[in-house]
Amino acid sequence: MMKVELINYTPQPERTVAVAARMCYSDADIDELSENMSDEKVRSFLQKLVDLGHESPIEHASFTFAIEGISRACSHQLVRHRLASYSQKSQRYVKEDQFQYVIPPSYIDKGIEDRFEERMKIIQQWYNEDIEAGIPKEDARYNLPNACQTQLMVTMNARELWHFFRLRCCLRAQWEIRAVAESMLREVKKVAPLLFEKAGPACVYGSCSEGKMNCGKSKEVRARYREMHA
């Protein structure tokens, strides 16, 4: 089962971003900038950043997640977001003699998950036979499927998370990476609700970036995310 947990983040992320933003427009020193930042001023500066599209100060807040129970197919999509740091369970060093796997919902919907599970058993047998024959784990892993579960830690700054959410919370995103993105969004909203107040797919507070390939459900998506942010 997929699990996404926010395990660390910049202390007072919203205040950190607000102070960084205010510095761009003030000649005051750091102590003065920090001391004179009321909660209302923090909110005001964060709103100004969003309205002006001034996103560089947002990079000063970072968030670290532990993610487990996702497939290798999903993690391959996740690591394509380059402005992030990753540590992932290694199939080169960790033996997969009883690997867990993700079953795509379409197999369950069609009632043929047994067929999928049988294939996983066969792959497991191939892998175990090769390990027993002395094949190194780094080579035996070539048998393993994209369905194989993995776990990893990922750190992104808030600006990259905004970009990540715009792309991966979209209904056009693949179902598993979308589930990961939505879980990550729920986690960061617990600790930085102002900073991520308007985070989500591109269509929620702007125009769809998918052009003619859009999902055609922008109204429903906007309603759902605005309810989430309420």
Side-chain angles (χ1 to χ4, degrees), residues 27-93:
D27 60 359
D29 60 29
I30 295 295
D31 290 338
E32 184 179 351
L33 288 172
S34 300
E35 290 173 0
N36 296 330
M37 286 293 286
S38 65
D39 290 344
E40 185 55 41
K41 285 185 177 180
V42 169
R43 173 181 286 276
S44 176
F45 267 93
L46 291 178
Q47 185 62 57
K48 184 179 294 186
L49 290 179
V50 174
D51 292 343
L52 295 177
H54 185 190
E55 297 182 349
S56 61
I58 301 175
E59 296 176 14
H60 293 291
S62 295
F63 301 81
T64 299
F65 305 84
I67 303 173
E68 60 184 44
I70 64 171
S71 70
R72 280 268 171 170
C74 183
S75 70
H76 291 337
Q77 296 176 76
L78 183 58
V79 299
R80 291 179 65 187
H81 293 269
R82 300 180 184 89
L83 299 182
S85 300
Y86 300 97
S87 296
Q88 184 171 10
K89 173 185 172 184
S90 172
Q91 291 179 331
R92 183 182 183 192
Y93 297 108

Side-chain angles (χ1 to χ4, degrees), residues 26 29 40 51 54 57 61 103 109 112 115 119 134 142 170 190 205 208:
S26 173
D29 60 29
E40 185 55 41
D51 292 343
H54 185 190
I103 303 178
D109 293 343
I112 55 174
R115 179 191 303 178
R119 291 169 181 169
Y142 281 68
C170 174
K190 294 176 185 177
Y205 292 98
C208 177

